[in-house]
């Protein structure tokens, strides 16, 4: 029953990840749904607009206390915690990685300008350098990769740095895709050193009016992401054979999203860029075929 609850959460909200989950054998699919439901709970607490920032931090701290108690064997009736603790034990997921997932969520629980973007307020640049951004990406994405390969199964330790790099590729793709949406929320994840290099002001990220400089900036970030995507190609043969189609499916969905953004000349301002359900189902079909063959 607990796993069923987690599966419903993943199906409803994991717009890209769930397509990869479908290709996995049942027990591994259940485990990743449990991990996703845990991450979703962390995100919901961190982003709850009904709570003040102080209340969000408090709720996250209380949630982590409940998680630690469940992992230590204390009884719980929370279906997400029931499924998470079972998966954590079954696949030997280090508790530290689960903590780091929550810490990554908490990194976004910080002050932002009180005025909205609609009033013309300049959003805040979150990181000065790419190395600082990499630290954020590690907690919100690379750690996800490290958890996933525990469930996928692997024997070669080389899989771990490759999973970290692939998570970074995914997060850079998200940052490029959501640059306008994040700016409206008062946050810019592109590093200040990159903005300076292409002479782009933070305020320009609301509308993308100066398309030439913005295209160059986003194109440079996309090229950086492409370099990290190559780690995914190296990672696939290192995970257990029954998990390779799922990893291929996830990698292909995100890589295709990046190339769709590039095909639109990095115009992420006039309309959201997403893969259609049909496009994702086509990739899923190919993933299922890889599993069968």
């Amino acid at each position: 029953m607990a796993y069923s609850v987690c599966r419903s959460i993943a199906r409803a909200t994991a717009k890209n990840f769930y397509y990869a989950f479908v290709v996995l054998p049942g027990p591994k699919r259940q485990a990743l749904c449990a991990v996703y439901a845990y991450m979703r709970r962390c995100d919901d607490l961190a982003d709850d607009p009904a709570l003040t920032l102080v209340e969000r931090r408090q709720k996250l701290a209380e949630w982590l206390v409940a998680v630690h108690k469940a992992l230590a064997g204390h009884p719980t009736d929370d279906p997400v915690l029931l499924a998470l603790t079972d998966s954590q034990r079954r696949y030997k997921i280090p508790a530290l990685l689960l903590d780091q997932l929550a810490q990554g969520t908490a990194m976004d629980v910080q002050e932002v300008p009180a005025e909205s973007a609609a009033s013309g307020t300049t959003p805040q640049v979150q990181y000065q350098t790419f190395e600082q951004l990499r630290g954020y990406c590690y907690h919100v994405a690379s750690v996800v990769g490290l958890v996933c390969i525990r469930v996928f199964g692997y024997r070669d330790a080389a899989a771990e740095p490759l999973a970290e790099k692939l998570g970074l590729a995914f997060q850079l793709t998200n940052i490029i895709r959501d640059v306008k949406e994040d700016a409206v929320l008062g946050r810019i994840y592109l590093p200040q050193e990159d903005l300076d290099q292409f002479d782009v002001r933070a305020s320009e990220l609301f509308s993308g009016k100066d398309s030439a400089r913005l295209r160059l900036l986003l194109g440079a970030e996309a090229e950086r992401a492409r370099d990290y995507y190559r780690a995914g190609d190296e990672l696939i043969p290192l995970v257990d054979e029954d998990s390779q189609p799922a990893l291929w499916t996830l990698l292909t969905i995100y890589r295709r999203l990046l190339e769709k953004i590039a095909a639109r000349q990095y115009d992420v301002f006039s309309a959201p860029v997403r893969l259609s359900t049909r496009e994702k189902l086509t990739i899923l079909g190919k993933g299922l075929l890889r599993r069968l063959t």
Side-chain angles (χ1 to χ4, degrees), residues 59-210:
K59 291 290 185 182
L60 275 171
E62 292 172 353
W63 169 238
L64 271 181
V65 169
V67 171
H68 291 161
K69 286 183 176 180
L71 293 177
H74 291 261
T76 177
D77 59 1
D78 187 313
V80 173
L81 291 182
L82 284 169
L84 180 69
T85 53
D86 183 64
S87 298
Q88 188 263 341
R89 293 165 188 160
R90 183 175 307 198
Y91 293 100
K92 297 179 174 58
I93 301 171
L96 174 62
L97 292 180
L98 298 178
D99 280 349
Q100 288 178 327
L101 286 175
Q103 290 165 9
T105 302
M107 293 174 77
D108 280 331
V109 185
Q110 53 185 297
E111 296 291 343
V112 295
E115 298 86 356
S116 68
S119 66
T121 303
T122 301
Q124 292 181 334
V125 176
Q126 304 294 297
Y127 304 102
Q128 295 301 307
T129 67
F130 178 71
E131 286 306 309
Q132 292 175 353
L133 175 62
R134 187 201 296 269
Y136 167 76
C137 292
Y138 172 82
H139 282 87
V140 299
S142 294
V143 173
V144 178
L146 292 173
V147 171
C148 285
I149 62 172
R150 261 65 178 191
V151 177
F152 289 159
Y154 68 98
R155 293 180 177 84
D156 190 336
E160 295 178 16
L162 293 174
E164 290 184 27
K165 289 180 181 179
L166 183 56
L168 183 53
F170 290 165
Q171 191 61 26
L172 286 173
T173 301
N174 288 338
I175 288 171
I176 295 168
R177 179 195 64 193
D178 298 335
V179 64
K180 179 182 179 180
E181 178 182 329
D182 290 333
V184 169
L185 294 175
R187 299 188 179 102
I188 292 176
Y189 293 101
L190 298 174
Q192 184 65 55
E193 64 181 8
D194 291 357
L195 295 175
D196 292 342
Q197 179 182 351
F198 293 96
D199 193 27
V200 173
R201 294 183 298 276
S203 58
E204 295 177 63
L205 297 178
F206 290 125
S207 61
K209 288 182 179 178
D210 194 327

Side-chain angles (χ1 to χ4, degrees), residues 12 15 38-39 45 54 58 63 102 106 110 148 150 253 289:
K15 296 179 181 178
Y38 163 70
M39 292 165 48
L45 291 172
V54 172
Q58 182 180 346
W63 169 238
Q110 53 185 297
C148 285
R150 261 65 178 191
I253 285 174
L289 184 60

